[in-house]
Amino acid sequence: MTNYLYAMVAVLLLMTQCQEDVSPRSAELGEAFTMAQGQVLKVSGAETDLLGLQVEEVTDSRCPKDVVCVWYGNAVVKVKVLGRNKKGQSVTFCIGDCRPEPMRNKHTQTVDVDGQEYEITLLDVMPYPSSDSQETHKNVKLQVSKGS
């Protein structure tokens, strides 16, 4: 019985370790990356960490791809941006029908972190809704670049 218990604990630890390796903990300035809600990620450039990001909230009301809807809907993502001084600010992104703004498939916001401007772009919210899936776990695809 003890051997069985040890084997189960070993399998659980191995599965946990594999899951942690799937999502990135850091990304380079200018490259696109995917994050899950609650995940924290450091964005680096040249030789230093520039800022940290955490996906705080994801709301997806887009019309499922296999349904005809009166309204297209939208996906709203709230991201917390942290500088080196750990002072944070929240930024909200919206793709889809984000009235009164026009339809958009990506959304860029400019933030000031430690005296430097960065452009953070929401590229996608995945998976796209479908009528046969009640998927509640959402991932977001983001990109960070230096501001102009």
Side-chain angles (χ1 to χ4, degrees), residues 23-28 31 33 39-44 49:
S23 55
R25 289 183 178 80
S26 64
E28 289 294 317
E31 80 177 21
F33 52 88
Q39 180 182 2
V40 178
L41 179 133
K42 290 181 182 176
V43 178
S44 303
D49 290 341

Side-chain angles (χ1 to χ4, degrees), residues 36-39 54-58 77-81 89-91:
Q37 186 169 341
Q39 180 182 2
Q54 179 179 19
V55 178
E56 295 184 304
E57 186 178 342
V58 180
V77 177
K78 186 175 179 184
V79 176
K80 187 170 193 174
V81 182
Q89 59 184 300
S90 290
V91 182

Side-chain angles (χ1 to χ4, degrees), residues 29-98:
L29 195 65
E31 80 177 21
F33 52 88
T34 302
M35 295 178 67
Q37 186 169 341
Q39 180 182 2
V40 178
L41 179 133
K42 290 181 182 176
V43 178
S44 303
E47 63 280 331
T48 184
D49 290 341
L50 302 171
L51 53 97
L53 300 175
Q54 179 179 19
V55 178
E56 295 184 304
E57 186 178 342
V58 180
T59 307
D60 193 352
S61 67
R62 295 175 292 179
C63 180
K65 59 186 169 193
D66 52 348
V67 174
V68 177
C69 298
V70 177
W71 184 57
Y72 181 80
N74 60 41
V76 177
V77 177
K78 186 175 179 184
V79 176
K80 187 170 193 174
V81 182
L82 300 165
R84 282 185 229 114
N85 61 7
K86 303 300 182 203
K87 185 178 177 184
Q89 59 184 300
S90 290
V91 182
T92 303
F93 299 89
C94 181
I95 56 174
D97 190 352
C98 306

Side-chain angles (χ1 to χ4, degrees), residues 121-137:
T121 303
L122 172 63
L123 299 170
D124 200 2
V125 175
M126 305 158 293
Y128 197 91
S130 68
S131 63
D132 62 346
S133 174
Q134 297 301 318
E135 181 70 41
T136 58
H137 180 75

